[in-house]
Amino acid sequence: EVASGGRVSLGGFAGDVFGRLRVARLELRDARGAWLEIDGVELAWSPRALLRGRLVLDELRAGRLRVLRAPLREPEAETGGGAAPPLEIVLDALAIARLEFGPDVANAPPSLSLAGGGEWSATRRALRLEAQDGVRAGDRIALVASDEVDGIEVRLALEAGAGSWLAGWLGIDGAPALRDRKSTRLNSSHANIS
């Protein structure tokens, strides 16, 4: 906590910092206090990949992630040097058993589970996420986005039961159950949605 100026609080370390690490509790703070709490963090990574300019996270898991509110915007500090060298990031598997939102987060669902992964490098940018309602089985959002040679491909799949939080969030509360898939390819001149 001291090294971060009190902005990051970590507690309950176990495991190997150069392989599989567990942290019982992680908090992100600002001048108003904690705005994000994460319990039961497990990280498996490949530290040798850093020598090749890659951050490879084989697995990132959390038992519970709670977004209490939006963080305060802080003025950006001036940096004395240029930008840091580019770092490729690979996240093979992300799993958050329970994603919760505090009362100060507008239009938030009661709770979700989240899974996914992605990659950000000079040659590839890809993201895949799937969120499922933690209370009502069947409500689901799946997003896949990837940077292709001729543009960005985005695929979205939605499943929302009648009267669910997802239907309300989409502004179709009261409508019958929804099951839909959309895809689009974006490039510098246009977007095709199907």
Side-chain angles (χ1 to χ4, degrees):
E1 192 170 333
V2 174
S4 70
R7 295 171 199 254
V8 178
S9 176
L10 299 166
F13 287 97
D16 180 7
V17 74
F18 296 110
R20 182 172 288 276
L21 176 67
R22 289 181 299 284
V23 178
R25 176 100 169 164
L26 182 146
E27 285 185 2
L28 298 183
R29 305 174 155 275
D30 59 22
R32 285 184 44 211
W35 62 270
L36 181 78
E37 300 171 341
I38 308 174
D39 295 322
V41 178
E42 292 184 31
L43 171 69
W45 71 302
S46 305
R48 285 185 294 201
L50 287 173
L51 298 173
R52 296 184 312 275
R54 298 185 61 172
L55 175 60
V56 177
L57 305 173
D58 301 314
E59 196 175 9
L60 179 58
R61 298 185 175 278
R64 183 183 77 130
L65 187 150
R66 187 161 187 236
V67 180
L68 302 170
R69 59 177 172 78
L72 296 175
R73 289 188 58 123
E74 297 183 16
E76 294 184 26
E78 287 189 32
T79 58
L87 181 68
E88 294 183 7
I89 301 171
V90 177
L91 174 56
D92 287 331
L94 169 71
I96 298 172
R98 189 167 176 94
L99 173 60
E100 300 174 344
F101 300 89
D104 292 338
V105 179
N107 301 322
S111 73
L112 298 172
S113 64
L114 187 66
E119 180 177 343
W120 189 270
S121 68
T123 58
R124 180 165 164 71
R125 286 173 290 283
L127 172 70
R128 67 184 186 289
L129 288 175
E130 182 171 328
Q132 294 192 14
D133 191 325
V135 175
R136 180 184 173 131
D139 286 356
R140 175 178 90 83
I141 300 173
L143 170 72
V144 176
S146 60
D147 192 0
E148 306 291 331
V149 173
D150 58 344
I152 298 172
E153 182 178 353
V154 179
R155 293 188 311 265
L156 180 66
L158 299 171
E159 295 177 22
S164 70
W165 75 267
L166 181 54
W169 184 66
L170 294 170
I172 58 169
D173 205 12
L178 167 73
R179 175 175 257 161
D180 201 3
R181 295 181 184 274
K182 299 288 184 196
S183 66
T184 185
R185 181 169 298 277
L186 307 170
N187 64 32
S188 59
S189 61
H190 69 284
N192 294 322
I193 299 176
S194 58

